[in-house]
Amino acid sequence: MNLFSRICPCCNTKEIHIHTHYKTQAHGPRTIYHCANCGIYFSETVETPLAGLKTPVSRIITILKARTDGMGLNATARTFSVSKKSVIDWEKRLGELKPTLMLYTMLHEFIHQDIEGDELYTKVAKNVAPSVSEGWTIVLMEQASGFLWELHCGRRNQQLFEKALTCLAQVIEKTGSLNLLTDGERRYSNLLFEICHDLILSGRPGRPKRRLRKGVRVRLKNKGSQKRPGRKRQKYQAPIPEHPETQHDVTEQTIHANHVEAFNASIRRRNAAFRRKTNTYAKSRKDLQRTLDVYWLVHNFVRVHFTTKMVPAVHLGILSVGISWPQLLTIRYAV
Ligand SMILES: [Zn+2]
């Protein structure tokens, strides 16, 4: 899968050739291709976020950059004299690339990953109790690269955790060995165990034992309540039974590293809906998810990470260089 190759949108063949160039009012020259196989003619922007847009690309990029650097929707509309509707439309178009880039990422294999799980909270629509708020966001972040596997918001319920761990199960399929490090929330480990376990056949009668998939370990950071007299308090726990043939260990350093914390600070700076004590929060769960999808793309594939000084997707080994903003807008939807 090549993110930037041009193929025929009708029959997917690579045997296309340039038919003509034409000049657009705002975008400069554009190319029309012809497919020798099925005979259709198509523009280079077909099925990309830019399809049918008349606004100059440079303006769209400037505005989307401001948004992903923390400018609220209203402020963006005022500053750039652009309608909120246009900004929302561009963000939707960009966010729709997420499945394509996820598919691309999942085509790779990984040797080892340490993944931190955490939940972030912000207000949605109006101020309600956290238990009924739709502003919970599950973050699954790979420690070394800062790559975000999961960034989904909703009510803090079973469904939200299930979604995240289904994604994690797919990552596990592609990874040799993996550690999941979470806070005290036990739903991560319990659900992961449900989705992703092996049966150990011992040859003895009775039901085979269930163990977490080979190569996977889960650690919980305990917060108190483990004190028993005479026993040293454990700092972390392995909450679910692990496979006897899992070889790697979880180092103290891995457990204590807290990369999501730094990420939380960054998202509060860069996504207006996560800013504390303001009224710039999202109007609905869907609106919040739209901004999170854009954040996911830009964080993983475009922006240089503040600690590693590399684009997370490059650090993860799935790209040789980061994707530029103009390139991002010309990726064709594959899903
Ligand atoms: Zn064709």
Side-chain angles (χ1 to χ4, degrees):
M1 183 177 175
N2 184 333
L3 289 173
F4 309 108
S5 74
R6 287 281 161 260
I7 54 168
C8 171
C10 177
C11 65
N12 292 333
T13 178
K14 279 185 185 158
E15 282 168 49
I16 55 167
H17 55 260
I18 294 169
H19 177 65
T20 45
H21 296 285
Y22 67 103
K23 257 206 149 78
T24 56
Q25 281 198 329
H27 297 285
R30 283 267 168 85
T31 309
I32 295 281
Y33 291 94
H34 176 241
C35 171
N37 194 23
C38 60
I40 66 158
Y41 296 90
F42 59 92
S43 159
E44 61 178 80
T45 61
V46 70
E47 291 175 9
T48 71
L50 287 181
L53 289 183
K54 297 215 165 61
T55 315
V57 184
S58 57
R59 177 169 159 84
I60 295 176
I61 290 174
T62 307
I63 293 170
L64 287 177
K65 265 186 173 169
R67 282 284 288 152
T68 57
D69 239 326
M71 200 181 248
L73 189 57
N74 287 310
T76 305
R78 289 191 303 267
T79 309
F80 296 99
S81 307
V82 59
S83 76
K84 285 196 264 182
K85 214 172 130 230
S86 298
V87 180
I88 290 171
D89 175 47
W90 300 336
E91 288 182 350
K92 270 193 195 147
R93 285 164 176 263
L94 198 57
E96 278 163 17
L97 280 176
K98 189 179 172 187
T100 302
L101 283 162
M102 196 57 155
L103 178 75
Y104 174 80
T105 307
M106 289 292 187
L107 290 173
H108 296 79
E109 307 246 320
F110 310 98
I111 298 166
H112 176 84
Q113 300 199 60
D114 294 308
I115 295 179
E116 267 181 67
D118 203 357
E119 308 95 59
L120 270 170
Y121 173 70
T122 187
K123 283 188 279 184
V124 170
K126 51 185 183 229
N127 217 350
V128 291
S131 59
V132 290
S133 168
E134 292 189 304
W136 288 96
T137 304
I138 292 200
V139 185
L140 290 178
M141 179 189 246
E142 208 275 318
Q143 276 189 348
S145 60
F147 192 87
L148 292 171
W149 283 106
E150 176 74 9
L151 199 59
H152 259 112
C153 70
R155 285 183 63 172
R156 192 169 188 237
N157 58 16
Q158 193 82 351
Q159 237 184 331
L160 190 65
F161 283 93
E162 265 170 22
K163 206 181 236 169
L165 290 157
T166 309
C167 166
L168 186 68
Q170 285 178 288
V171 179
I172 288 172
E173 290 289 331
K174 295 285 178 183
T175 311
S177 64
L178 186 145
N179 296 321
L180 173 65
L181 313 146
T182 74
D183 53 13
E185 174 60 71
R186 280 174 182 270
R187 270 178 286 198
Y188 288 109
S189 44
N190 295 343
L191 282 167
L192 184 64
F193 193 46
E194 286 305 316
I195 301 169
C196 187
H197 61 258
D198 286 337
L199 294 176
I200 312 276
L201 301 165
S202 58
R204 278 185 234 130
R207 247 197 293 174
K209 276 181 191 154
R210 288 202 309 171
R211 291 286 181 265
L212 195 57
R213 176 81 51 88
K214 187 178 163 186
V216 182
R217 290 195 193 278
V218 177
R219 290 292 177 272
L220 278 186
K221 293 181 196 188
N222 270 332
K223 283 164 193 156
S225 79
Q226 290 292 309
K227 270 183 202 155
R228 264 184 237 157
R231 208 180 276 185
K232 215 173 125 191
R233 189 164 72 93
Q234 268 186 305
K235 285 215 184 65
Y236 54 87
Q237 264 193 351
I240 38 179
E242 286 163 1
H243 198 288
E245 288 166 38
T246 296
Q247 296 197 329
H248 73 279
D249 257 321
V250 190
T251 62
E252 288 273 322
Q253 201 191 357
T254 310
I255 293 173
H256 295 307
N258 203 337
H259 295 257
V260 175
E261 204 100 312
F263 167 74
N264 291 353
S266 154
I267 201 168
R268 291 202 189 282
R269 232 173 24 244
R270 285 184 160 139
N271 185 325
F274 277 92
R275 209 90 36 78
R276 286 170 203 265
K277 291 181 184 167
T278 67
N279 55 6
T280 56
Y281 46 83
K283 292 277 177 288
S284 75
R285 194 203 66 83
K286 254 170 76 188
D287 291 319
L288 182 60
Q289 189 61 54
R290 187 191 72 241
T291 65
L292 290 174
D293 288 348
V294 173
Y295 194 97
W296 184 90
L297 290 167
V298 174
H299 172 94
N300 282 341
F301 296 94
V302 181
R303 195 149 45 204
V304 171
H305 194 261
F306 53 97
T307 46
T308 63
K309 307 277 180 275
M310 277 172 94
V311 177
V314 174
H315 199 287
L316 197 64
I318 61 171
L319 285 175
S320 51
V321 285
I323 299 175
S324 69
W325 272 95
Q327 277 178 318
L328 190 65
L329 292 170
T330 53
I331 294 175
R332 202 185 281 175
Y333 303 117
V335 188

